[in-house]
Amino acid sequence: MPVEGRPRWQKGESYRVPLPVEGRPRWQKGEIAGTSIGRECHEVIMNAVTFNKENVNSFHHAVSSEIVTAQCFGLLPVLGITAPNAASLRFRWCSFRTMFSIFMLLGAGLNTCFAVVIMQSGISFKQSDGVVFFGTVTVTYMLFLQLARQWPNLAVEWENLEISQKHYGYPRRLRLKIMIVTTVVLTGALVEHALSKSSQIAVAAACTDNVTDMFHHYFTKTGTYNQIFAVMDYSFATATLALINNFIATFTWNFTDLFIILVSLALTERFRLFNEYLVSFRGKVLPGSFWAQIREEYNSLSHLTRTLDSCISKIVLVSFGSNLYFICRQLLNSLSPLGGIINTVYFCWSFGFVLFRTVTLSLYAASIYDESLKPKRVLYDVPPESYHLEVSRFLNQIVTDTVALSGMNFFYITRTLLLTVSALHLTLSTAV
């Protein structure tokens, strides 16, 4: 007896298109995948996408709150983020969000120039921190501005894939997972930022006798704002602007890693749904038309991965580069006396948090590659009487193709990369 909600194959019947009913697939006799009727129905469904409890876990809705938060700091200035569907997304140069993003870009660039001015007196790791940090933030604003122009097309392609594969359903609790990851990363970043300021204020307090002198020393001597007050005179207004600018730069630096983690999580969940569905047919005798349709759906996921990679590969490269620098910088700092419990706590948290971000980013991004290889297990168990040319083509595609995010194709993010980077850090720490 066939199980309700599962396809029943009969001799002479071709593979039939799944119709989503209450989140579970059901096969309707007489409808063939790829017919003009099926395509017309698909277009009608696409145009009727609205917000409901089911697609709250779609990619467009799942990441909307995080993108809105990022836009408060000038990142990813796309209009229509909270709209019912991705078709409403658009980018405009003449919009407040874009102008605000450009303003933040110029501010970060100005800080980078100030940091370069300080380095004229001599190059050292301490003086290079400001150049690397604000240089990274400046490049990040440029890349997210570029990504904003590509985001509407990327989101539409992602939504089209979700609709065409709606018989798999939406990823379970994707919205909740994204909220948890965002809360953990941003809370850790906020604690790290607070500890950084506390340690610097403690140093300033030890060198001065009153509050006024303490804040003057904090802004002009402790290192964080040196690049500004080496060029400008100290005042309450400039100190306030410097404080806000540093907070925004810190958020931008942390959000770069968070953004890569979130899109990797969402794409991994799409592959996971595909694999869970495919495993349910493991070892069964199925026609070649079934495997042809499955391979086409896998191709759609692979194409989406490549599209995503082409949009964010530069961001990935900048993220890994900056994390590598600051991990090495913290290893160097570990050789110097920390001095005081606040500085010790700050160092341990800062070092641990940048390691946590780097490892988390690597594991989430590497999960895409891991999930893309899992269909091999099902294909290896295809019965001899069901082994068709489509099965061979599908297996060959999985074995030979690399479906993963990359850093501008200089490297692919896999678990092997994490081991390579760890070995590099170990080598550098030993050399130091």
Side-chain angles (χ1 to χ4, degrees):
M1 296 293 292
V3 180
E4 182 180 358
R6 295 279 299 277
R8 180 177 60 188
W9 302 99
Q10 296 180 1
K11 187 176 182 180
E13 288 187 343
S14 59
Y15 172 68
R16 295 186 286 270
V17 173
L19 297 179
V21 178
E22 297 180 356
R24 299 185 63 184
R26 186 180 65 186
W27 306 96
Q28 179 172 322
K29 185 176 181 180
E31 285 201 30
I32 311 300
T35 60
S36 60
I37 296 178
R39 285 192 297 270
E40 291 175 1
C41 293
H42 172 66
E43 292 176 357
V44 171
I45 294 174
M46 284 174 54
N47 294 331
V49 175
T50 56
F51 178 81
N52 53 52
K53 292 183 179 180
E54 185 181 26
N55 67 7
V56 69
N57 290 312
S58 67
F59 176 72
H60 173 66
H61 291 296
V63 299
S64 59
S65 297
E66 286 67 29
I67 294 179
V68 169
T69 302
Q71 289 181 342
C72 295
F73 296 85
L75 296 170
L76 208 60
V78 180
L79 302 176
I81 292 296
T82 58
N85 53 61
S88 301
L89 295 173
R90 59 197 182 279
F91 172 81
R92 290 179 181 174
W93 284 106
C94 297
S95 68
F96 173 78
R97 298 181 188 185
T98 303
M99 293 297 105
F100 180 61
S101 180
I102 294 175
F103 175 77
M104 298 308 302
L105 168 62
L106 295 176
L110 189 61
N111 273 283
T112 305
C113 294
F114 290 162
V116 172
V117 170
I118 294 181
M119 291 188 66
Q120 291 180 353
S121 59
I123 299 177
S124 65
F125 270 112
K126 185 176 182 180
Q127 291 178 336
S128 65
D129 285 348
V131 176
V132 174
F133 178 70
F134 285 106
T136 299
V137 172
T138 302
V139 173
T140 299
Y141 270 107
M142 294 173 61
L143 295 179
F144 271 99
L145 188 60
Q146 181 184 43
L147 177 61
R149 301 175 61 188
Q150 303 169 321
W151 189 259
N153 292 333
L154 172 63
V156 166
E157 180 177 345
W158 201 310
E159 187 173 87
N160 289 347
L161 180 138
E162 289 175 332
I163 295 173
S164 66
Q165 298 183 6
K166 197 175 181 181
H167 46 285
Y168 299 148
Y170 290 101
R172 291 179 291 275
R173 296 184 295 276
L174 176 61
R175 176 69 192 129
L176 177 62
K177 293 176 183 177
I178 286 178
M179 289 178 62
I180 292 174
V181 172
T182 301
T183 302
V184 170
V185 173
L186 293 186
T187 301
L190 185 60
V191 172
E192 192 269 345
H193 187 70
L195 288 173
S196 172
K197 302 311 169 191
S198 298
S199 65
Q200 292 170 352
I201 290 176
V203 171
C207 299
T208 55
D209 299 326
N210 55 69
V211 176
T212 303
D213 291 340
M214 180 190 72
F215 280 106
H216 184 275
H217 188 279
Y218 166 68
F219 281 103
T220 60
K221 303 295 184 181
T222 56
T224 302
Y225 311 98
N226 285 5
Q227 74 279 355
I228 297 177
F229 295 105
V231 180
M232 303 174 63
D233 294 330
Y234 173 81
S235 67
F236 177 79
T238 55
T240 303
L241 290 176
L243 192 67
I244 296 174
N245 184 268
N246 182 261
F247 178 78
I248 293 175
T250 302
F251 173 87
T252 302
W253 180 53
N254 286 276
F255 183 79
T256 303
D257 289 349
L258 175 62
F259 177 78
I260 299 171
I261 292 172
L262 296 185
V263 295
S264 299
L265 170 62
L267 186 55
T268 299
E269 290 297 319
R270 290 306 315 177
F271 273 101
R272 190 164 291 147
L273 285 175
F274 174 84
N275 290 328
E276 290 175 355
Y277 178 78
L278 189 59
V279 167
S280 64
F281 295 98
R282 191 170 191 169
K284 295 183 179 180
V285 178
L286 301 169
S289 55
F290 169 82
W291 293 111
Q293 182 71 11
I294 288 295
R295 190 173 66 82
E296 290 176 3
E297 293 178 349
Y298 181 87
N299 284 339
S300 298
L301 288 169
S302 299
H303 185 269
L304 178 61
T305 304
R306 292 187 180 89
T307 302
L308 176 63
D309 182 59
S310 66
C311 293
I312 71 170
S313 61
K314 295 178 183 177
I315 298 176
V316 170
L317 183 61
V318 170
S319 173
F320 270 86
S322 64
N323 287 342
L324 178 62
Y325 172 84
F326 284 105
I327 289 175
C328 294
R329 185 72 176 91
Q330 293 287 42
L331 287 173
L332 182 62
N333 289 338
S334 66
L335 302 178
S336 303
L338 298 178
I341 187 172
I342 297 179
N343 287 335
T344 302
V345 172
Y346 164 65
F347 170 78
C348 293
W349 183 273
S350 178
F351 191 22
F353 185 61
V354 71
L355 286 175
F356 168 77
R357 284 204 335 257
T358 304
V359 172
T360 302
L361 185 156
S362 300
L363 291 178
Y364 271 100
S367 297
I368 298 174
Y369 178 73
D370 295 339
E371 291 293 330
S372 71
L373 296 178
K374 286 186 177 180
K376 290 192 303 183
R377 304 173 186 176
V378 177
L379 296 176
Y380 287 147
D381 292 338
V382 172
E385 59 271 24
S386 184
Y387 196 86
H388 301 277
L389 176 61
E390 287 295 337
V391 177
S392 177
R393 292 177 63 188
F394 191 14
L395 183 59
N396 182 66
Q397 177 180 351
I398 294 174
V399 172
T400 59
D401 197 11
T402 302
V403 182
L405 298 182
S406 71
M408 291 186 68
N409 292 322
F410 286 111
F411 57 86
Y412 288 99
I413 306 179
T414 63
R415 294 179 184 270
T416 305
L417 175 67
L418 183 60
L419 293 176
T420 303
V421 173
S422 300
L424 176 61
H425 286 149
L426 181 61
T427 303
L428 291 174
S429 62
T430 303
V432 171

